[in-house]
Amino acid sequence: LLGATLGYCLMQRERWQHTKRMLDLQSEEILYSNNELEKKFRDLETTIDRLSLLSDLSAAVNATLDVEKIYEQALERLVHQMGYQNAYLFLVDRARQVVRGHRMSGRMDHTLRFAEVEFRLDDPHCGASRVATTGLPLVIDDVESTSLPVDVITARALGVRSAVMVPLRAKESVFGVLNVTSSEAGRVGGADLELLSAVANHVALALDRAESF
């Protein structure tokens, strides 16, 4: 009788342990599913926010035929609505074979005036020159350690540690470079490329519309 009782107790304990393991497993699965669902909702909210910002940007840049106003609206929204620390616009001067600083928005506490920045288009150490000549975007996570082309001296003078650059196109020709930056390494990167490319497309379309009048 004692042996039977002991066997029954052991069997019940094993059943209880099995049930506990199953409950723990289900709890982990539920927690994982809940975290994944929350992540999807956050991603959806981010997408909706960005679409709203792009819609607002499109309305703003298309509300004027003034080219400089279009530039201003785009740069101001990149900083004040989309949350980037600084936004810069380089323009390409084909006659002089340079890319030069034209406008900026954001913090002005750096030691170099952006309007004074100028690089040769064939400068192998300038990211803006690379984008202007190749027509390809450039993502720099950290100017201090990257192997990509970057003028470190100018970047430091402008307080830039990470940057994303995209070309501005008129038909098949690149006429400028749009650039968002941060003073923190890794603060801007590949995740910002899609948004900045969309902004560049809106700006280019607005400029094409303005110049057609």
Side-chain angles (χ1 to χ4, degrees), residues 55-153:
S55 177
D56 178 66
L57 170 74
S58 178
V61 298
N62 282 291
T64 179
L65 298 178
D66 185 330
V67 171
E68 290 301 322
K69 194 68 176 176
I70 292 172
Y71 292 149
E72 179 188 346
Q73 292 285 354
L75 295 173
E76 288 293 315
R77 276 165 171 74
L78 280 168
V79 172
H80 298 296
Q81 291 188 15
M82 299 183 185
Y84 293 105
Q85 187 174 9
N86 289 306
Y88 300 92
L89 170 66
F90 291 91
L91 291 182
V92 177
D93 187 335
R94 297 290 176 186
R96 298 177 53 232
Q97 287 293 292
V98 299
V99 59
R100 55 183 175 78
H102 185 67
R103 295 187 74 106
M104 72 158 293
S105 179
R107 288 170 46 180
M108 306 291 183
D109 56 354
H110 41 67
T111 60
L112 181 66
R113 291 184 64 244
F114 181 60
E116 298 173 351
V117 176
E118 183 175 286
F119 299 99
R120 295 284 303 172
L121 282 173
D122 59 1
D123 188 337
H125 304 295
C126 176
S129 297
R130 164 77 73 87
V131 175
T133 54
T134 66
L136 299 174
L138 195 64
V139 177
I140 300 173
D141 293 317
D142 188 351
V143 301
E144 299 293 339
S145 60
T146 186
S147 60
L148 295 170
V150 59
D151 187 297
V152 177
I153 294 176

Side-chain angles (χ1 to χ4, degrees), residues 8 39-40 87 105 129 133 148 154 174 181:
Y8 176 78
K39 181 178 181 297
K40 288 180 180 179
S105 179
S129 297
T133 54
L148 295 170
T154 302
V174 175
T181 71

